[in-house]
Amino acid sequence: MVSVLIPTCNAASFLGGLLGALIRQRLENFEVIVVDSSSTDGTVSIAKAYGVQTHVIPKDEFDHGGTRTFVGRVAKGDILVYLTQDALPVVETTVATLVQPIYEDDRIGITFGRQLPYVQATPFAQHLRYFNYPDQSYTRTFDDRASLGIRAAFCSNSFAAYRRSALETVGWFQEGLIMGEDLHACAKMLKRGYRVRYVADAVVYHSHNYTISQDLKRYFDLGRFFTKETWLLDEFGKPETEAHRFIRSEWRFLIKQGLVHYLPLSALRLTAKFLGYRLGQWSKYLPKWAAKRLTMLSS
């Protein structure tokens, strides 16, 4: 059985479209479960109108890892598919395509699918999706860290499937993480000998038009995450090489798209990300009021 699990918070503008797309999926024996953080916009009513199992938790109890573990334990599936509320399957075979490698290969612990930008995505949001989610599938093992560094453990819970037994083996998702519960779990699975499969043919629409301020805050949280989870960098390597690759890729993308006039803005955004990451690494030396202003969690 496959369980499709969706954490939500004030998702009324997205949820109807997502649940409608899931109901049309060509997949036998699957369930959909929503776990909602006390939305105030009718999200729960929409979920119940579609007849899906719905759990409501206090907003202040939401935890990126803990909430996903909670709903995973409630689920009946042998395969757990996690989606974010603003992701939208492109075709009726999207979920089936995502989970197929888990059926076919016992060594696969995680699969994650391709994310395409929405029509209204900015050039920066477009490039981020194309950079992270290419049109060719691949498989990663723990040995790939030698050549890929932390990139070897990359995956995204915006659209990912987990073999339940593998997730149980590594103790489910880590609670208390500010972000990155997907990368954290993926890294633990790779260490245990499981493989992660990127399935380019399983596609959802999903993108965010972050502002410069939001980019700074997101990378501040990323810096805090890696500072607290130092074993990730010890085992897989620092992300600086990946950052350099991203910069070259973004500038090539903008030039190819005839958007040379966006290069100064790109440089500004990249500077904000770098500054945010460094501040995140130094967050323990910052006043509490400053850290609160810099984190994405207060947005």
Side-chain angles (χ1 to χ4, degrees), residues 139-153 186-187 189-196 235-236:
T139 301
R140 298 284 190 249
T141 69
F142 188 54
D143 291 339
D144 286 315
R145 74 195 190 283
S147 59
L148 298 173
I150 195 64
R151 182 79 179 179
C186 184
M189 285 195 190
L190 289 173
K191 286 188 66 177
R192 288 293 188 100
Y194 287 103
R195 299 182 175 189
V196 56
E235 292 282 0
F236 289 87

Side-chain angles (χ1 to χ4, degrees), residues 110-170:
I110 307 172
T111 61
F112 68 104
R114 192 178 188 195
Q115 299 179 28
L116 293 180
Y118 281 110
V119 174
Q120 67 271 28
T122 66
F124 301 107
Q126 292 175 36
H127 169 259
L128 181 61
R129 296 303 158 193
Y130 297 139
F131 178 81
N132 283 332
Y133 307 99
D135 58 5
Q136 295 294 320
S137 300
Y138 58 76
T139 301
R140 298 284 190 249
T141 69
F142 188 54
D143 291 339
D144 286 315
R145 74 195 190 283
S147 59
L148 298 173
I150 195 64
R151 182 79 179 179
F154 174 76
C155 69
S156 172
N157 271 349
S158 289
F159 183 45
Y162 292 78
R163 185 186 300 277
R164 185 192 191 100
S165 59
L167 196 52
E168 290 175 336
T169 297
V170 298

